[in-house]
Amino acid sequence: MPSSCLSSSRHVCLVPVQTITLSFAASQALDGHMTTFEDFASYNDQPSISGFDRDSLFKEYYRRLSGNAGSLHVFGLGYDTMWATALGLDKAERTLRERRQSLSDFSYGDAEMGDVILGSVRNISFNGVKGFIEFDRNYDVPSVAVIKQFQGDKGYVAIGSYVPYSAEEDRLHIDDALIAWKGILFPITI
């Protein structure tokens, strides 16, 4: 594992933002800005639909790329997208067979078949590499986001989270005490 990687129980090469040396001007420009990051820590450690757990898959991905892992986020997204597509098409094919049709009969002008395919994808769920995969009414897969603020020498500090599948009043959590406000005044919620 390269020396810039953190050791972790996940066996994933993560380079924390705090270790990047920024010029004083860049640090000043970033200071106080907030952003979101996907929360990998919130995902369960159950095996994915393929039978592999997330850690084993990431470790194998890293090994096959000889330590040049690139973006593990993109790998996880691609892996889960491939499985969602395969499962959705399999489900659509079974539905179409009941109608004495097949995916090989598909044409872009066939709206009814398009509805079958889209409905099949919407109604699948499985445990993926990035956690439990299930589509919402907008065909999105909600994921937990951590809200972070860049705080000078501390780097990015987690100040809150957004959990889309929680009750409406519990989805957004901000810890005001962790936010570094510039100056002596800070915004007040009215």
Side-chain angles (χ1 to χ4, degrees):
M1 191 167 4
S3 62
S4 61
C5 291
L6 294 176
S7 59
S8 75
S9 61
R10 300 272 181 233
H11 308 290
V12 176
C13 177
L14 297 175
V15 180
V17 174
Q18 298 91 306
T19 63
I20 298 172
T21 304
L22 297 173
S23 70
F24 179 74
S27 181
Q28 290 292 95
L30 281 174
D31 200 30
H33 109 275
M34 295 180 196
T35 189
T36 58
F37 293 86
E38 190 169 11
D39 183 14
F40 276 104
S42 69
Y43 301 122
N44 64 46
D45 287 330
Q46 299 299 313
S48 70
I49 190 167
S50 66
F52 295 100
D53 64 35
R54 182 186 69 231
D55 296 343
S56 298
L57 282 167
F58 282 171
K59 190 174 183 179
E60 179 63 14
Y61 172 72
Y62 186 78
R63 185 191 70 76
R64 286 185 183 211
L65 293 176
S66 302
N68 185 12
S71 174
L72 291 173
H73 168 76
V74 173
F75 165 73
L77 181 62
Y79 187 88
D80 289 345
T81 299
M82 181 273 310
W83 274 103
T85 302
L87 293 170
L89 290 174
D90 181 65
K91 190 172 193 172
E93 180 68 22
R94 284 185 273 127
T95 301
L96 290 169
R97 280 187 194 156
E98 293 171 6
R99 299 176 179 192
R100 303 217 185 281
Q101 289 182 297
S102 170
L103 285 172
S104 62
D105 300 325
F106 175 79
S107 74
Y108 287 100
D110 190 342
E112 187 176 323
M113 187 179 287
D115 289 342
V116 168
I117 294 169
L118 193 56
S120 296
V121 171
R122 185 177 199 179
N123 292 313
I124 61 166
S125 59
F126 62 96
N127 201 35
V129 124
K130 295 182 73 177
F132 187 71
I133 305 295
E134 183 174 49
F135 293 89
D136 65 14
R137 69 178 181 271
N138 297 317
Y139 299 94
D140 293 324
V141 178
S143 62
V144 175
V146 177
I147 303 163
K148 295 186 177 187
Q149 180 186 40
F150 189 81
Q151 297 179 358
D153 293 340
K154 293 181 184 176
Y156 281 101
V157 175
I159 59 168
S161 61
Y162 178 76
V163 183
Y165 40 79
S166 293
E168 185 73 33
E169 64 275 6
D170 296 329
R171 288 184 184 169
L172 180 64
H173 170 75
I174 303 287
D175 188 339
D176 291 332
L178 295 175
I179 299 174
W181 300 108
K182 291 191 180 231
I184 58 172
L185 300 175
F186 59 90
I188 299 174
T189 305
I190 300 175

